[in-house]
Amino acid sequence: MNKNIVLFFILSIGSFSALLAQGYSYSVNLNDIQNDQLSVTLITPEQENKNVVFSLPKIIPGTYAISDYGAFISDVTAYDKKGKQLPVNQLNVNQWEISKAKKLHKIVYQVEDIFDTEKEHEIYPMAATNIEKNNIVIHSPGIFGYLDHLSQVPFEITFDKPSNFYASSSRLPVSSTASQDVFEMDNLDDLYDTPIMYGIADTASVKVGNCDVLVSVYSPNQLINAKEIVGWLTDLLQGARSYLGGKLPADRYAFLYYFNDPKVKQSFQPGMAGALEHTTSSFYYLPELPAQQLKPFVVDVASHEFFHIITPLTIASKEVKEFNYNEPVLSKHLWLYEGSTEYTAHHVQVKSGINTKEEFLAKLSQKIADSKASYNDTLSFTQLSKYAASTYAEQYGNVYQKGALIAACLDIYLLHLSDGGYGFKNLTHDLGIRFGKERYFNDDELFDEIEKLSYPEIKEFLLKYVDGTAPIPYDYFFGLAGVKYQDTDRSLHFDDTASAKALKIQQAWLGTECK
Ligand SMILES: [Zn+2]
């Protein structure tokens, strides 16, 4: 060892502890639930300004809708080190301004859960919180706030908990005893990207290649259990692994399931269900039904959320990677984030033999029918995307229908132009290498980047059918893979008279890959 190394070592320890002193330190006692509310205590990072704004998010990644989590926070009180109260002024539903902020030491507030609130709200259940004696869903945007300009510092979260409660999450606590867990998050994005479900554990795990997979289930009437779901997801994840070239893009991943008893009224619209993706986990809010009835749905949705690791959690624009929690600034490329994810979720199932080719075509036919029946087929998809949280909120659902069809046609078109050698998954793989987790693309440059990796015809396709307003001629693009589109009933069928070239493309598109 030489001296410089020792000096460097001391310096880095010094700067690390300085960094921690500037971090957030939250604590919550899960033993103390009053009227579905918890008390939250924050020891704040030091402040340099006279005033500081404490915020809960207005919008979070992946939902493309306004959430206003601040509506569930009350009694925000700020203190200095001596315990003296500082003036607090609520600015709007999500923000509180604290004066004399240089003295600020502690903020205390109450948080109410969203699952069964009486308040009107627009929050999706898969992004909501639950605070009950037997189950607590920590969706951190609904519980923890942040101070102005202080999102890139660490967060330490301490939960005191009943001794029979287990924390299900892709993140392991840095310390854990029977009565307390401590988690550390790198920054605000990391905190909001890491849901934790507390309760009496029904968990199961499996190792798929390089990835430790956790499944955690809350099913109040025990209609479905974690072991069953792990069984279903193992085939899917093995398929995903070969689809992605042999390696899964995470070393640890958690599927968190909350099954809602349909007899128990909650604050969401009846029938509302869904899931939300995170970098190394996904959270599911689904109706509690007999297991076999749920199986196809559980597998399709898990596949969708898992493939979000690629888009947008790896490949995304600035709007996604430097996310603004205070106001919605959306990207133009929901066709990529949601559409291509939805397409891949089903494509992997035909490629790995979980679905037949006919089942896959039936799923795509259904998407054509839904898209044409329920949405505007001549609306620019980039405009839909940009204004999905406002002007075009009612068109948002088309990202799962036409968005997936855009990716399907691109896949076939790429295979056609490359004579079966380069499909959509090759393109996303190469975009992933080009940008990676740490970099973003600029919204206006994506089509040029795709052209560089593929063909001028692909950019023309994107300009005409994604940015432009022309409906996609499905008969032409599916025809390239020997599939006939019938407009009368909007269905897709294999064409017995397809050319040898089309059959070759069809084989490249739908042929099973060995596991
Ligand atoms: Zn999605």
Side-chain angles (χ1 to χ4, degrees):
M1 188 190 295
N2 76 34
K3 217 170 61 182
N4 288 340
I5 293 175
V6 175
L7 185 64
F8 172 77
F9 195 51
I10 292 168
L11 278 178
S12 36
I13 290 176
S15 55
F16 185 63
S17 50
L19 198 69
L20 276 184
Q22 287 167 14
Y24 293 74
S25 180
Y26 268 107
S27 51
V28 183
N29 186 352
L30 304 181
N31 297 296
D32 191 11
I33 298 173
Q34 311 278 350
N35 302 324
D36 291 4
Q37 294 198 11
L38 286 167
S39 175
V40 179
T41 301
L42 165 64
I43 304 297
T44 62
E46 282 171 22
Q47 298 303 305
E48 286 168 358
N49 298 333
K50 272 175 37 191
N51 298 314
V52 68
V53 175
F54 178 69
S55 306
L56 272 286
K58 184 177 189 67
I59 183 167
I60 58 164
T63 57
Y64 312 107
I66 304 297
S67 289
D68 284 335
Y69 288 103
F72 299 90
I73 302 297
S74 57
D75 303 339
V76 176
T77 318
Y79 300 92
D80 67 11
K81 261 201 172 106
K82 291 176 188 153
K84 204 174 142 223
Q85 281 197 26
L86 303 174
V88 177
N89 174 31
Q90 182 159 10
L91 301 174
N92 55 54
V93 65
N94 295 306
Q95 297 185 305
W96 292 259
E97 187 174 47
I98 299 165
S99 317
K100 300 182 183 169
K102 281 183 185 170
K103 292 184 175 174
L104 178 63
H105 174 64
K106 184 165 85 171
I107 299 174
V108 179
Y109 56 91
Q110 300 295 310
V111 56
E112 175 198 348
D113 70 350
I114 300 165
F115 274 21
D116 60 357
T117 182
E118 302 278 305
K119 287 183 179 139
E120 286 203 5
H121 68 86
E122 306 267 311
I123 300 174
Y124 287 114
M126 54 280 196
T129 53
N130 191 35
I131 303 173
E132 297 286 335
K133 290 260 185 274
N134 50 1
N135 173 279
I136 297 175
V137 175
I138 306 285
H139 265 130
S140 31
I143 296 185
F144 303 112
Y146 55 96
L147 296 164
D148 275 358
H149 313 300
L150 264 177
S151 60
Q152 294 306 313
V153 298
F155 285 72
E156 184 184 79
I157 318 277
T158 302
F159 293 105
D160 288 308
K161 55 159 190 168
S163 58
N164 58 350
F165 265 33
Y166 175 76
S168 296
S169 173
S170 62
R171 187 67 48 89
L172 296 170
V174 290
S175 81
S176 181
T177 65
S179 60
Q180 189 183 75
D181 294 324
V182 181
F183 288 89
E184 277 177 12
M185 309 291 175
D186 295 343
N187 51 43
L188 187 67
D189 297 329
D190 190 31
L191 173 68
Y192 285 174
D193 191 30
T194 311
I196 303 169
M197 184 161 75
Y198 267 103
I200 298 165
D202 171 20
T203 62
S205 53
V206 64
K207 193 161 176 93
V208 180
N210 55 302
C211 187
D212 287 313
V213 178
L214 169 76
V215 170
S216 178
V217 168
Y218 173 74
S219 169
N221 302 302
Q222 283 92 41
L223 292 191
I224 187 161
N225 65 60
K227 221 176 138 196
E228 272 173 307
I229 297 182
V230 156
W232 305 339
L233 298 190
T234 303
D235 287 348
L236 174 73
L237 292 167
Q238 294 288 10
R241 189 177 156 217
S242 41
Y243 193 87
L244 295 171
K247 194 172 182 285
L248 290 175
D251 290 329
R252 193 177 152 78
Y253 194 91
F255 293 90
L256 309 177
Y257 288 92
Y258 180 97
F259 290 101
N260 175 47
D261 181 343
K263 294 191 294 295
V264 176
K265 198 180 164 303
Q266 301 212 306
S267 69
F268 314 107
Q269 279 172 16
M272 186 89 116
L276 183 62
E277 77 275 14
H278 302 279
T279 306
T280 54
S281 60
S282 38
F283 183 87
Y284 301 78
Y285 179 97
L286 301 173
E288 191 189 34
L289 297 168
Q292 283 310 315
Q293 215 171 316
L294 277 173
K295 182 181 174 181
F297 189 61
V298 165
V299 172
D300 282 349
V301 182
S303 186
H304 176 103
E305 302 313 325
F306 186 79
F307 276 103
H308 268 310
I309 292 189
I310 300 169
T311 51
L313 297 166
T314 300
I315 309 164
S317 68
K318 186 176 184 191
E319 288 77 4
V320 177
K321 293 212 172 167
E322 293 188 354
F323 195 83
N324 187 336
Y325 296 100
N326 287 333
E327 57 175 306
V329 187
L330 301 192
S331 160
K332 296 198 294 189
H333 299 299
L334 274 175
W335 70 271
L336 179 68
Y337 311 146
E338 290 300 335
S340 82
T341 300
E342 176 65 7
Y343 170 69
T344 305
H346 297 294
H347 191 227
V348 68
Q349 295 188 61
V350 68
K351 293 298 274 182
S352 60
I354 295 172
N355 284 170
T356 64
K357 294 174 188 180
E358 287 74 17
E359 284 171 328
F360 180 61
L361 284 197
K363 284 176 172 179
L364 291 179
S365 301
Q366 190 62 49
K367 289 189 183 298
I368 298 178
D370 286 351
S371 161
K372 294 220 183 232
S374 309
Y375 302 101
N376 178 356
D377 202 23
T378 56
L379 171 64
S380 155
F381 224 75
T382 50
Q383 289 302 300
L384 185 174
S385 186
K386 190 80 198 153
Y387 302 103
S390 51
T391 318
Y392 298 127
E394 289 190 350
Q395 295 291 319
Y396 170 75
N398 209 12
V399 302
Y400 303 102
Q401 315 300 338
K402 188 173 176 180
L405 296 162
I406 290 170
C409 291
L410 273 175
D411 196 8
I412 294 170
Y413 201 25
L414 280 163
L415 290 168
H416 171 77
L417 294 168
S418 64
D419 200 29
Y422 191 90
F424 191 71
K425 74 171 175 173
N426 304 96
L427 176 66
T428 50
H429 175 262
D430 290 347
L431 283 170
I433 290 174
R434 171 93 178 79
F435 295 104
K437 278 203 162 62
E438 308 305 324
R439 293 183 59 205
Y440 56 74
F441 60 78
N442 291 312
D443 249 16
D444 288 335
E445 291 163 13
L446 179 64
F447 294 165
D448 294 323
E449 295 290 346
I450 289 176
E451 184 186 15
K452 276 186 222 159
L453 294 169
S454 59
Y455 303 94
E457 289 90 333
I458 296 297
K459 184 178 169 186
E460 278 168 36
F461 175 100
L462 292 166
L463 288 175
K464 193 165 175 188
Y465 303 119
V466 180
D467 201 37
T469 57
I472 303 174
Y474 293 120
D475 50 350
Y476 175 74
F477 288 102
F478 284 103
L480 295 176
V483 170
K484 248 195 158 87
Y485 170 65
Q486 196 170 291
D487 197 46
T488 46
D489 63 350
R490 291 167 177 161
S491 64
L492 298 166
H493 301 279
F494 290 108
D495 180 359
D496 298 335
T497 61
S499 67
K501 160 96 184 179
L503 290 175
K504 184 179 176 186
I505 301 313
Q506 187 183 103
Q507 176 60 23
W509 181 40
L510 301 180
T512 314
E513 288 168 345
C514 54
K515 281 186 194 169

